[in-house]
Amino acid sequence: MAKITDIKSQSLQEVNQTQTVAELEEFRLKYFGKKGLVTSMLKGMGSLSPEERQVQGPAINALKTELLEAVESKKNELELSELNEKLKTEKIDITLPGRPEEPGKIHPISQTIDELVTLFGDMGFALAEGPNIEDDYHNFTALNIAEDHPARQEQDTFYMKEKKDGAPLVLRTHTSPVQIRTMMDKNPPHRIVSIGRVFRADYDITHTPMFHQIEGLLIDKNINMGHLKGCLIEFLETFFGVKDLPVRFRPSYFPFTEPSAEVDIGCSREDGDFKIGKGADWMEILGCGMVHPNVLRNCNLDPEEYQGFAFGMGVERIAMLKYGIPDLRTFYESDLRWLRHYGFRSLDIPCALNKTSGDA
Ligand code: PHE
């Protein structure tokens, strides 16, 4: 027993003499480490007779508790004094310039998509989605594109391994299959836009194998070409921020619309300087038309009762025109210098939604 009292006074003295946190840790290991003094005393209790254990057990446990408490309070004391010492000796050089942190930028595609969603949202169009891997039926057949139709080749389709039931699968070549999914899923009226990736095997200054399209679909009773024109003119003026933007509907052909049109906006290309809204030139922007009666029938709608219009355009293309980006391929090169130049700050409000006159 005397031994324990000795150890106690000896060790408490040692704790008090430690001068640094490191020294204190050394002390702790000496007594409580794997082979530490207190540790071995605790271990040794097993070999004591029950009588001895009754006496020694509580004494050893008390020693342990007291020592650990002493270590803890010494530790607090030492840490505090070490911190005070540090604060006294350390100086902060407030003349040192700060290290600038470059804020991230929003990619022009994300920005343009936000603008489009906001703008068409304001016009009452909800967002719809469809899969990137599409079946041949939704991508072509239901859209009135027959098996032997040249559009299947024209669009440079990426074909995938077919479905288990043998149905051919493709990477969707346009967002138009979302029209079909929308009309098949729900009852009319419909007013949706769908934005997403599309894929075509093509690569040059104006083509990349993956790009984005926005598709619009409106189906209701008594819808005519006037509604289509009004909607798209309103959209183009707002998106490009040009009041009274010259807009031209040029007759065209798509298997899924009748009549079909391509839409051009007025621009000038003087001295390599491209301007939207002024001048004698035209720039093609999008494809559109009244939904073909066959497409309506394929979606179990009666063309005598329901009509509507659809339009589709490339997101990169309109972003390039609006923001003066010359090469489509640069969108996907992940060059930080490019992104710093063409990117947007996160607080930029989508789109100059209020129309201004003059230059875009
Ligand atoms: N899907 C057509 C394309 O990719 C665009 C389009 C959509 C045309 C809707 C008319 C109506 O070229």
Side-chain angles (χ1 to χ4, degrees):
M1 270 320 280
K3 206 176 153 219
I4 292 182
T5 349
D6 286 353
I7 293 174
K8 190 163 146 182
S9 57
Q10 158 89 22
S11 56
L12 284 174
Q13 207 176 347
E14 275 179 50
V15 175
N16 281 328
Q17 279 165 358
T18 55
Q19 298 198 343
T20 61
V21 176
E23 267 176 44
L24 184 68
E25 178 60 12
E26 239 169 69
F27 168 87
R28 197 187 61 81
L29 287 175
K30 181 173 162 195
Y31 285 85
F32 293 100
K34 243 189 196 160
K35 291 192 175 134
L37 212 57
V38 178
T39 315
S40 21
M41 284 167 89
L42 287 164
K43 274 190 200 152
M45 284 211 308
S47 55
L48 297 177
S49 69
E51 294 78 30
E52 279 176 316
R53 201 181 306 146
Q54 223 168 36
V55 187
Q56 298 234 18
I60 296 175
N61 273 323
L63 170 70
K64 176 184 157 195
T65 318
E66 199 170 333
L67 268 187
L68 283 177
E69 271 168 15
V71 168
E72 192 54 33
S73 78
K74 188 72 184 174
K75 192 173 166 210
N76 290 342
E77 183 191 315
L78 288 174
E79 277 176 350
L80 191 68
S81 72
E82 280 180 18
L83 180 67
N84 280 332
E85 196 54 32
K86 218 173 161 189
L87 287 173
K88 251 188 255 163
T89 50
E90 248 180 24
K91 271 205 198 96
I92 295 172
D93 183 356
I94 53 164
T95 63
L96 214 62
R99 291 185 206 97
E101 229 174 80
E102 279 235 32
K105 289 273 185 99
I106 309 274
H107 195 283
I109 285 300
S110 307
Q111 171 78 13
T112 308
I113 288 176
D114 284 352
E115 292 176 14
L116 292 169
V117 172
T118 309
L119 215 156
F120 280 107
D122 281 355
M123 292 169 94
F125 287 81
L127 202 57
E129 273 184 325
N132 287 345
I133 299 175
E134 204 27 296
D135 51 51
D136 184 87
Y137 180 76
H138 287 89
N139 196 79
F140 295 122
T141 315
L143 285 160
N144 200 34
I145 307 174
E147 196 91 4
D148 54 357
H149 196 285
R152 296 202 184 206
Q153 277 84 55
E154 269 166 28
Q155 294 196 341
D156 299 307
T157 312
F158 286 110
Y159 283 92
M160 310 280 291
K161 228 175 133 197
E162 61 231 13
K163 269 208 263 192
K164 279 198 192 92
D165 62 9
L169 285 177
V170 299
L171 289 181
R172 66 176 181 188
T173 56
H174 51 179
T175 38
S176 299
V178 185
Q179 287 184 36
I180 304 297
R181 292 188 175 275
T182 304
M183 287 189 276
M184 284 188 162
D185 267 13
K186 291 191 189 116
N187 292 326
H190 298 294
R191 198 188 280 221
I192 59 106
V193 285
S194 185
I195 308 186
R197 294 182 181 150
V198 299
F199 308 84
R200 294 179 195 179
D202 213 351
Y203 188 71
D204 61 37
I205 191 168
T206 51
H207 297 90
T208 49
M210 186 283 293
F211 61 103
H212 297 77
Q213 276 191 344
I214 171 167
E215 186 86 12
L217 173 74
L218 186 145
I219 302 284
D220 209 335
K221 291 178 177 166
N222 303 316
I223 299 298
N224 61 49
M225 195 91 186
H227 296 117
L228 164 63
K229 290 176 77 176
C231 173
L232 289 177
I233 292 170
E234 174 77 16
F235 157 68
L236 291 167
E237 286 190 352
T238 313
F239 180 78
F240 288 109
V242 180
K243 210 171 174 227
D244 301 324
L245 176 73
V247 178
R248 176 171 82 173
F249 288 76
R250 193 165 29 79
S252 183
Y253 173 77
F254 298 103
F256 31 92
T257 46
E258 181 59 36
S260 304
E262 274 170 308
V263 178
D264 303 331
I265 56 172
C267 65
S268 72
R269 293 188 179 86
E270 274 153 39
D271 311 321
D273 200 17
F274 180 74
K275 278 212 177 85
I276 291 170
K278 280 185 177 169
D281 274 346
W282 294 100
M283 168 63 92
E284 185 196 319
I285 291 284
L286 61 92
C288 64
M290 301 305 292
V291 178
H292 196 292
N294 287 350
V295 175
L296 293 169
R297 273 185 219 111
N298 288 341
C299 300
N300 301 316
L301 293 177
D302 176 3
E304 297 298 325
E305 192 182 357
Y306 284 103
Q307 310 77 38
F309 61 80
F311 55 88
M313 70 195 117
V315 175
E316 285 80 354
R317 183 176 172 76
I318 56 173
M320 284 165 85
L321 291 173
K322 183 168 176 177
Y323 297 117
I325 304 171
D327 187 337
L328 174 63
R329 293 169 297 195
T330 56
F331 277 90
Y332 304 113
E333 279 168 1
S334 301
D335 185 335
L336 267 183
R337 293 164 305 173
W338 182 90
L339 190 57
R340 283 194 190 114
H341 181 76
Y342 288 112
F344 294 82
R345 285 174 308 145
S346 57
L347 290 179
D348 284 346
I349 293 153
C351 198
L353 284 181
N354 25 359
K355 278 176 252 174
T356 52
S357 56
D359 300 344

